Amino acid sequence: MKIGFVDHHLNNFHANKFLSLLHEKLADEGARVVAAWESDPTGEDWCEKNKVPRLGSAAAVAEACDAVMVLAPDNIDAHLGLCRQVFPAGKPTLVDKFLAPSLDEARQIVELAEKHRVRIFSASSLRFAGELQKALADAGGKPSEAFARGMGVWDGYGVHTLSLVVGALGADATRLINTGTVDSTSLTIDYADGRRAWVDVRSAANMWEALPWGFGVKANDKYTVDTVKDYDGFYTNLMKEAVKFFRTGESPVSVKEMLKVVAILEGTNASREQGGVWLPVGG
């Protein structure tokens, strides 16, 4: 299977990590990155360093490959423009982390995919953390509530902590409230069936040491709590899911969930900006 990378700038952790996993640890999957393009190159020549042919446009990459990864993990606002260039080729496409910085742009991506009959898959790698998968299996029932904690600035990074909750309870949220600050998000999410989740995301100079990703899942009146330790594992699981998606066209997460995640991310900011109020969740 021939995969193409399309990015804002290829010198980023995700491009390096995904390439190394596909070509080394997951080589038996038979998927290789055979072409790439970036709109705003930075630093050393990523394509030359990794021996990946650099094509002249995002459209050319999509035409040359069986499937496309629209990366730009640090430039989510570039996703819509990149998808506009890629989707006309009709290839299955992974959109890294989450679809767009706003629900309006996320809907435009979904509509564009439908227009060109493109299957899409978008999710944080934390959605597939092995520790979460084990906790859900050990819980032995449908979770009634969940919490997650983690680090980083909400815009662009909060999705990772949020995805631990979404992986446990789904994304069918009805309302939310954020009573935190710019640097410390304190989010409560309500679901239609009465379930509730809490998401705590904080930013600090020592956040990688002090604020590891952790979560708790309650089922059958018992909490299962763990800390995410296997970082290589959740990236590996994401790439396995991506290759499977490219082969089958079936995303492990629904388009509805992709949109709901963006709606929650956007709504969290809106709630804080309005002084910490309950807001409905779109999608």
Side-chain angles (χ1 to χ4, degrees):
M1 174 183 292
K2 297 182 293 184
I3 294 175
F5 280 4
V6 170
D7 213 325
H8 179 272
H9 57 273
L10 286 160
N11 278 308
N12 66 72
F13 182 78
H14 282 199
N16 293 333
K17 188 65 174 179
F18 296 170
L19 179 80
S20 65
L21 285 171
L22 292 169
H23 288 195
E24 297 170 18
K25 187 175 182 178
L26 300 178
D28 289 347
E29 296 282 347
R32 291 193 64 82
V33 180
V34 301
W37 178 84
E38 56 190 331
S39 61
D40 295 80
T42 60
E44 62 184 324
D45 190 324
W46 186 92
C47 288
E48 181 179 358
K49 179 182 69 174
N50 291 289
K51 297 180 173 57
V52 175
R54 179 187 298 275
L55 302 191
S57 66
V61 171
E63 289 290 349
C65 297
D66 301 311
V68 180
M69 291 190 185
V70 171
L71 300 179
D74 304 318
N75 302 87
I76 304 298
D77 58 327
H79 280 175
L80 177 56
L82 294 175
C83 288
R84 283 177 174 149
Q85 298 174 67
V86 166
F87 284 179
K91 308 297 175 63
T93 302
L94 179 143
V95 182
D96 198 13
K97 287 174 70 170
F98 56 100
L99 290 177
S102 71
L103 185 56
D104 177 66
E105 289 190 11
R107 286 172 172 157
Q108 290 183 57
I109 289 174
V110 170
E111 291 169 1
L112 193 64
E114 292 173 347
K115 175 183 176 181
H116 294 289
R117 298 184 179 180
V118 169
R119 297 293 185 94
I120 57 174
F121 166 32
S122 185
S124 159
S125 53
L126 267 293
R127 174 72 167 71
F128 306 100
E131 294 86 352
L132 177 62
Q133 294 174 340
K134 183 178 186 302
L136 292 172
D138 291 346
K142 181 180 179 180
S144 58
E145 63 184 46
F147 69 82
R149 61 179 183 273
M151 86 294 280
V153 176
W154 184 256
D155 291 338
Y157 226 72
V159 66
H160 298 313
T161 307
L162 172 63
S163 292
L164 291 168
V165 160
V166 171
L169 299 184
D172 194 22
T174 56
R175 67 173 188 162
L176 58 77
I177 184 171
N178 175 17
T179 56
T181 66
V182 173
D183 292 327
S184 298
T185 295
S186 182
L187 175 65
T188 302
I189 305 171
D190 276 357
Y191 288 76
D193 57 5
R195 292 177 298 157
R196 176 167 283 192
W198 298 267
V199 180
D200 186 82
V201 178
R202 299 178 184 274
S203 179
N206 66 334
M207 61 187 183
W208 286 97
E209 296 79 26
L211 302 167
W213 282 300
F215 64 89
V217 178
K218 185 179 182 181
N220 299 320
D221 202 30
K222 180 180 177 181
Y223 252 109
T224 301
V225 180
D226 204 350
T227 299
V228 177
K229 305 179 187 70
D230 185 6
Y231 285 28
D232 190 66
F234 59 68
Y235 285 120
T236 299
N237 290 342
L238 174 65
M239 285 300 98
K240 286 182 178 178
E241 293 290 348
V243 173
K244 182 179 178 182
F245 159 69
F246 290 150
R247 295 192 189 285
T248 66
E250 298 298 323
S251 170
V253 299
S254 66
V255 170
K256 181 179 179 180
E257 178 176 315
M258 297 177 210
L259 290 172
K260 279 285 189 178
V261 165
V262 175
I264 293 170
L265 293 170
E266 185 178 46
T268 298
N269 282 333
S271 175
R272 175 185 56 78
E273 291 166 358
Q274 294 177 41
V277 297
W278 284 102
L279 293 177
V281 177

